Amino acid sequence: MAMITLTDREFSQFQRFIYEAAGIFMANGKQALVSGRLAKRLAHFQLASYGDYLQLLESRREPAELQMAVDLLTTNETYFFREPKHFALLRELAQAAKAQQRGLRVWSGACSSGEEPYSIAMVLAEVLGEAPWEVLGTDISSRVLDKARRGHYPMERASQMPPAYLKRYCLKGQGGEAGTMLVERALRARVSFQHLNLVQPLPKLGSFDLIFLRNVMIYFDLATKRAVVARLLAQLRPGGHFLIGHSETLNDISDAVQAVAPSIYRKPAS
């Protein structure tokens, strides 16, 4: 089958599509990414052009395909214990919660394939044990959420994980599973995953002590950043912490929280 070329006009239409569907601003120069990730879908439907595929999406004839396209265009790689200082803060907050005999609720707002919420859960399990704590992971991609629920990863994703956590909370793959690891069942059971689009009104989630929204805002324009951050901060309890990616800032985005360190913000207690 001849290779199908993605035209500049079709690429700009996909830029508009992913912005309207997920609030994601796709920079110019990503044509190879779009064509590479969607080529199999054109073949699946036996379509002659990317424009035909876009028409299929916009016609809503195949509702599940909309989610498939969003999944393919938004998936990102991640790993366990990314940005260790955030997990050091989490440990401190968990220790304070334990001393005060109260629970802790943490939300990983764009959890991808689950490495971040499981990293959070390991810290909370270590410090709080069986005390009440809760981790919610949400993402716009159903496909990565399925991976997250399985908790099965290539071993290299755990290169930053403290060895004691790897030993205590993960099973090392043997035989045909060599080179992989599985998050143990008891820990997986304490993390819940939910499909969620951050650019749309949120369902009832309750309030959280800590919200991770890391390395997500880079995909949004300023107006979308402001709307998404305001939406999430409404779910953060007074005194709670909001964590973003190391290369991100809330300058000109929100004054509802105060910076306490680079990429770490706190909502005033009153």
Side-chain angles (χ1 to χ4, degrees):
M1 184 175 168
M3 190 150 170
I4 300 169
T5 303
L6 174 71
T7 68
D8 289 344
R9 181 167 178 271
E10 288 167 340
F11 175 69
S12 57
Q13 288 172 327
F14 276 106
Q15 284 178 303
R16 191 192 74 238
F17 163 77
I18 200 64
Y19 182 79
E20 290 174 355
I24 289 174
F25 177 75
M26 187 185 290
N28 292 329
K30 299 274 187 180
Q31 283 92 333
L33 180 144
V34 172
S35 58
R37 291 190 176 182
L38 297 182
K40 285 183 181 175
R41 304 313 297 160
L42 268 69
H44 176 80
F45 289 106
Q46 298 182 313
L47 298 172
S49 72
Y50 286 91
D52 289 347
Y53 181 62
L54 197 69
Q55 279 185 343
L56 173 77
L57 295 176
E58 292 177 338
S59 73
R60 304 294 198 269
R61 285 199 313 273
E62 300 277 349
E65 192 62 26
L66 262 178
Q67 182 63 53
M68 173 69 77
V70 169
D71 283 1
L72 289 170
L73 293 174
T74 59
T75 302
N76 301 296
E77 287 275 301
T78 183
Y79 53 90
F80 287 88
F81 288 90
R82 190 173 185 171
E83 296 182 22
K85 65 181 181 178
H86 288 169
F87 293 97
L89 171 67
L90 176 65
R91 173 176 280 276
E92 286 173 28
L93 296 173
Q95 287 167 338
K98 185 177 184 179
Q100 295 162 17
Q101 297 186 309
R102 61 178 177 82
L104 208 62
R105 291 191 83 222
V106 184
W107 178 13
S108 168
C111 71
S112 190
S113 42
E115 290 88 338
E116 181 173 279
Y118 286 132
S119 300
I120 295 165
M122 288 176 195
V123 174
L124 298 186
E126 191 76 14
V127 176
L128 294 170
E130 294 304 309
W133 57 266
E134 205 178 320
V135 179
L136 171 67
T138 65
D139 202 272
I140 194 171
S141 167
S142 302
R143 194 163 58 102
V144 295
L145 289 172
D146 288 341
K147 285 185 184 176
R149 291 185 185 101
R150 287 194 293 272
H152 188 212
Y153 302 98
M155 189 61 84
E156 57 264 25
R157 298 272 179 92
S159 61
Q160 305 296 314
M161 188 188 294
Y165 287 177
L166 186 62
K167 189 174 180 180
R168 182 167 178 182
Y169 299 113
C170 305
L171 304 170
K172 191 175 178 182
Q174 306 291 331
E177 301 294 347
T180 71
M181 47 155 283
L182 180 69
V183 177
E184 55 122 21
R185 187 191 298 267
L187 195 79
R188 292 203 311 272
R190 296 204 64 174
V191 180
S192 58
F193 292 99
Q194 186 173 336
H195 179 259
L196 198 98
N197 187 339
L198 296 174
V199 304
Q200 293 175 352
L202 299 175
K204 288 184 179 176
L205 300 172
S207 60
F208 294 89
D209 300 281
L210 194 67
I211 297 176
F212 285 67
L213 187 73
R214 306 193 301 173
N215 307 302
V216 184
M217 288 189 290
I218 49 174
Y219 300 106
F220 297 152
D221 63 16
L222 183 59
T224 307
K225 286 177 188 175
R226 286 174 175 164
V228 167
V229 168
R231 202 171 281 131
L232 270 69
L233 290 181
Q235 309 295 135
L236 185 66
R237 70 165 182 81
H241 287 75
F242 189 75
L243 306 184
I244 62 175
H246 195 63
S247 62
E248 300 172 317
T249 177
L250 293 187
N251 290 349
D252 202 31
I253 292 169
S254 176
D255 55 9
V257 285
Q258 297 161 346
V260 293
S263 75
I264 298 174
Y265 293 81
R266 185 172 181 268
K267 193 173 191 176
S270 56

